[in-house]
Amino acid sequence: MPFRSAPEGGRLRATAAALLALLALTALVGVAPAPEPLLGSEIRRIPTEEHVLALTFNAAWNETGLDTVLGVLRDRAAPAVFFPTGDFADHHPRALRAVAAAGHGLGNHSSSHPDFTALSPDRARNEVRRADTAIRAASGAEPLPFFRFPYSATSPQAVATVNDLGYADLEYTADTKGYLGPVHGMTADRAVERALAALTPGAVLQLHVGASEESGPDTCLDAEALPRIIDGARARGYRITDLRTLLNR
């Protein structure tokens, strides 16, 4: 065996230790860890000055509007990342298989949609792991190392907890608020207006599929608004980008 100097041997040992830690983390959570530069803080926009917009969809209720959304994304050749809860994955596996089959990314939105600022680290880790397992089983796809906090309720401790599991905290620049539904005075027109008013380089837009009982279980305003959001953004010189490009930076 060739002789190695002490500094080189030390570097090799450090590299081996880091690799073993990475493999242990992947085995523990199942997700391939996010790159180090994405950890340590909330991500609310893509760090770029390019006129790009990322589309994201939370899913925690039912499948209302999903087929429409997937059709619009297909017809307009627009990528998106979906953030389902574990409960959604358990109850609507067909929906997640359809998302994965369409080539869109799947993030993690917790198992039962609790407020993470009120959870202990152990409970928070359990929420993330259970969701990862459910999303993987339902979709048959590899989840992305992106976690979105329910209610966007973050804290330094909560971010550190999900980072330790290999997830980057991917929040959003603006929310259409389409999930509120007509019962709260929301319309598709207003959802479009909110989306286009929030355009800024690297913007991340939050939309929703499904509908709560409170907002009307058969109404998905974001599905209705989506074609005009994409067309309006492109008319203003914005390109719809895929958040997965963050993993290659």
Side-chain angles (χ1 to χ4, degrees):
M1 178 182 291
F3 174 76
R4 300 187 189 279
S5 65
E8 183 179 357
R11 285 195 297 271
L12 288 173
R13 285 192 295 273
T15 301
L19 179 58
L20 287 174
L22 179 65
L23 292 173
L25 178 61
T26 303
L28 180 64
V29 184
V31 70
E36 184 69 26
L38 299 183
L39 308 180
S41 62
E42 302 173 5
I43 300 173
R44 292 194 173 271
R45 60 178 291 272
I46 299 169
T48 181
E49 294 307 314
E50 295 182 42
H51 283 201
V52 294
L53 169 68
L55 301 174
T56 66
F57 294 84
N58 293 357
W61 299 298
N62 54 36
E63 298 181 50
T64 300
L66 177 63
D67 289 341
T68 298
V69 165
L70 291 178
V72 171
L73 295 174
R74 179 193 64 239
D75 294 344
R76 284 166 170 74
V81 171
F82 290 74
F83 286 85
T85 63
D87 286 349
F88 182 92
D90 287 338
H91 290 93
H92 305 287
R94 183 207 70 85
L96 292 199
R97 287 195 297 273
V99 170
H104 301 295
L106 288 166
N108 185 320
H109 197 37
S110 82
S111 180
S112 63
H113 208 272
D115 181 344
F116 269 61
T117 62
L119 299 184
S120 68
D122 283 345
R123 287 189 60 196
R125 283 189 286 268
N126 188 50
E127 281 282 334
V128 177
R129 290 169 178 156
R130 286 173 56 200
D132 179 89
T133 298
I135 293 166
R136 190 181 298 274
S139 68
E142 177 79 13
L144 299 173
F146 292 145
F147 182 83
R148 174 167 288 165
F149 283 93
Y151 315 108
S152 197
T154 68
S155 69
Q157 175 179 288
V159 171
T161 296
V162 300
N163 283 175
D164 286 345
L165 293 175
Y167 282 88
D169 172 24
L170 202 296
E171 299 301 323
Y172 53 88
T173 310
D175 188 329
T176 63
K177 300 289 187 181
Y179 70 89
L180 292 174
V183 295
H184 293 287
M186 199 63 194
T187 66
D189 288 343
R190 291 186 63 191
V192 173
E193 291 169 3
R194 286 182 58 85
L196 298 182
L199 287 177
T200 190
V204 178
L205 185 64
Q206 176 173 274
L207 305 97
H208 291 74
V209 293
S212 67
E213 290 294 328
E214 181 184 3
S215 64
D218 299 320
T219 301
C220 184
L221 296 180
D222 282 336
E224 183 181 340
L226 183 59
R228 286 181 285 162
I229 291 173
I230 294 175
D231 293 348
R234 287 174 170 167
R236 289 160 174 77
Y238 277 77
R239 174 171 54 87
I240 308 302
T241 192
D242 194 327
L243 276 176
R244 284 172 284 195
T245 60
L246 279 172
L247 300 175
N248 301 322
R249 291 183 176 228

